[in-house]
Amino acid sequence: MWLINSSIGRKVVMSVTGIALVLFLTFHMSMNIVALFSAEGYNMVCEFLGANWYALVATLGLAALAVIHIVYAFMLTMRNLKARGTERYAVTVRPEKVEWASQNMLVLGIIVLLGLLLHLFNFWFNMMFAELTGMIVAHDPADGFAYIVDTFANPVYVVLYIVWIAAIWFHLSHGFWSALQTLGWNGKVWFCRWKVIGIVYTTLLMLGFLVVVLAFAFGIAPSLCC
């Protein structure tokens, strides 16, 4: 099948799954912003997205997208390294007009993956997984607000999340327009436009996540009433 065996097919799969994950990040950021205005409102969203059938289906679908994206990224990276052979060791200067993010997508991807595992441990494990298994955790599994407060009360987690957000920004700043280019939206005029749109969109998206982290880290977020 060309989606698996050909380089172009793999890039198409990477692009489609990447765009889907960006859409999820947009939803996730919008959900997090609610926590800046209402603890009760945020927990209502968490309860709605608890361990019910539609949330479970969405979670499995999201996990499948993430796994496919990661696997294909690894396959493409290994193929590129193999194609370059020993020549990759001779490169000491970054080629002109090649972005830093483009040259370091593997490293950025690893940081993003490690951050994802940390995020799953801090939230998904204590919320949806705990609700499914009946495991005893620090707070009610639907009390996502309490888990945000606990997580960002720890300065180490604050720093790790900031690094994670920065890595995602670099990853998406290249991946956004690269995905659209792979899908054929790469005309001379729109190529430059997509790069600008991608940087602006990615910056606003990551700023949304960063604001939440800093608001809870410095204690300026709302509190949960009774």
Side-chain angles (χ1 to χ4, degrees), residues 5-222:
N5 298 325
S6 72
S7 177
I8 295 177
R10 292 169 185 168
K11 289 181 179 180
V12 168
V13 173
M14 279 279 294
S15 299
V16 172
T17 55
I19 291 173
L21 291 172
V22 169
L23 292 175
F24 167 74
L25 285 175
T26 303
F27 165 77
H28 196 359
M29 184 273 289
S30 302
M31 172 183 168
N32 286 1
I33 291 296
V34 175
L36 294 178
F37 300 95
S38 171
E40 291 81 4
Y42 181 76
N43 280 348
M44 285 178 63
V45 177
C46 291
E47 187 173 0
F48 176 75
L49 297 175
N52 46 64
W53 70 268
Y54 47 84
L56 290 174
V57 170
T59 300
L60 291 173
L62 181 63
L65 286 172
V67 169
I68 292 171
H69 191 78
I70 292 169
V71 169
Y72 272 69
F74 181 79
M75 290 169 61
L76 282 169
T77 300
M78 292 301 102
R79 180 184 178 281
N80 291 337
L81 290 176
K82 184 177 180 181
R84 290 176 60 188
T86 57
E87 290 183 5
R88 64 181 181 274
Y89 300 110
V91 178
T92 56
V93 180
R94 182 170 62 89
E96 294 184 7
K97 298 183 179 180
V98 176
E99 298 175 342
W100 180 87
S102 176
Q103 292 289 299
N104 296 276
M105 289 297 275
L106 178 60
V107 174
L108 290 171
I110 292 173
I111 295 174
V112 171
L113 177 59
L114 292 175
L116 175 61
L117 294 176
L118 175 64
H119 188 61
L120 289 174
F121 172 75
N122 284 333
F123 293 95
W124 180 83
F125 179 76
N126 288 294
M127 296 173 71
M128 181 178 283
F129 183 79
E131 187 175 350
L132 286 171
T133 60
M135 181 178 65
I136 298 176
V137 287
H139 306 286
D140 187 293
D143 193 357
F145 190 87
Y147 287 108
I148 295 181
V149 172
D150 285 355
T151 299
F152 299 124
N154 186 331
V156 175
Y157 282 147
V158 172
V159 173
L160 290 177
Y161 269 82
I162 291 174
V163 171
W164 186 38
I165 290 170
I168 296 175
W169 184 89
F170 278 110
H171 193 77
L172 293 184
S173 67
H174 170 77
F176 187 97
W177 64 261
S178 179
L180 295 174
Q181 183 183 39
T182 298
L183 296 176
W185 295 338
N186 58 345
K188 185 176 180 180
V189 175
W190 273 100
F191 176 74
C192 295
R193 290 177 180 175
W194 281 126
K195 291 189 74 172
V196 173
I197 292 171
I199 291 175
V200 171
Y201 188 86
T202 299
T203 300
L204 293 175
L205 182 62
M206 292 300 105
L207 278 177
F209 284 109
L210 181 61
V211 166
V212 173
V213 172
L214 295 179
F216 280 88
F218 291 99
I220 57 178

